[in-house]
Structures are given as C-alpha cells and as structure tokens.
Amino acid sequence: MEAASRGVRVHTPLFTLLHYKNDSPPHFGLTVTKKMGNAVVRNRIKRRLRGALDALADTTTPFQGHYVIIAKPTLITEPFPAITETILYSLKKAETRNQNAQKKE
C-alpha cells in the first residue's frame, strides 16, 4: 500500500509502475484488472509480466523497495522483448525520480 500512497509513479504505454523505496530487496506486485479481459487473459498477462521480471532477475538486484505494476490493455499484444525493455526503463526512471525527490528534501 505504501507504493500507491507515498511512492513514485512511472507511466508507460504498457503499464504504470508504482515504487516505494526502502532498504528491502526488490518485491514486485502485479495488478491486472477485470477490464483487461476474462480470467484466462488476465492470467496470461500476469505470466508474461512474471516471465519478463524473471528474465531481468540479474538486472533488478541493484534496485530496492516495493514495486507494483498495473497492466494496461496494450500489454496483451506487445512482443516479449519490448515488455522487458519497458520494465527496465521504468525501474531506472523510478530510481532516478526517487533520488531527485530525496535531494529536494
């Protein structure tokens, strides 16, 4: 819940990433609403997101905190490499925004 209330948001065409930075290892939550389709479609989207996160497992180690990925309808038809690239881009952008927010405080 802290990622949603006090975290940083990064919007992409495929999903919205919420990030709350703390000292814990990265923890990811996935949200796929019923607007995306029936249970089969929603589970397929979650499997694709989990697969992309597993493919980036070595890359995500420098990141810390809680992340929530809220899927958008364009994710269904997107090729897998584009999903992994977008996740990595949004992780880096969230980290940069958190550093900038800390400098302002």
Side-chain angles (χ1 to χ4, degrees):
M1 289 303 277
E2 288 185 273
S5 62
R6 299 190 311 186
V8 172
R9 291 177 186 259
V10 177
H11 299 281
T12 69
L14 303 180
F15 55 82
T16 298
L17 177 81
L18 309 176
H19 176 231
Y20 177 72
K21 186 166 176 83
N22 57 20
D23 293 335
S24 67
H27 178 263
F28 292 90
L30 306 176
T31 302
V32 183
T33 64
K34 286 187 176 183
K35 288 192 279 184
M36 300 287 287
N38 62 16
V40 174
V41 173
R42 293 193 309 269
N43 289 334
R44 184 177 189 201
I45 292 168
K46 287 187 263 188
R47 281 195 307 270
R48 293 186 86 201
L49 284 170
R50 275 191 233 110
L53 290 170
D54 288 343
L56 294 172
D58 295 337
T59 312
T60 59
T61 50
F63 300 105
Q64 294 179 327
H66 298 287
Y67 297 87
V68 177
I69 296 176
I70 303 170
K72 293 182 181 177
T74 53
L75 186 73
I76 298 169
T77 57
E78 199 67 26
F80 188 76
I83 295 171
T84 56
E85 289 174 18
T86 307
I87 289 175
L88 188 58
Y89 163 79
S90 61
L91 289 172
K92 289 178 181 177
K93 191 167 185 174
E95 191 68 28
T96 303
R97 285 186 182 176
N98 271 321
Q99 290 174 356
N100 292 340
Q102 288 176 352
K103 288 179 184 178
K104 289 180 182 178
E105 293 176 357

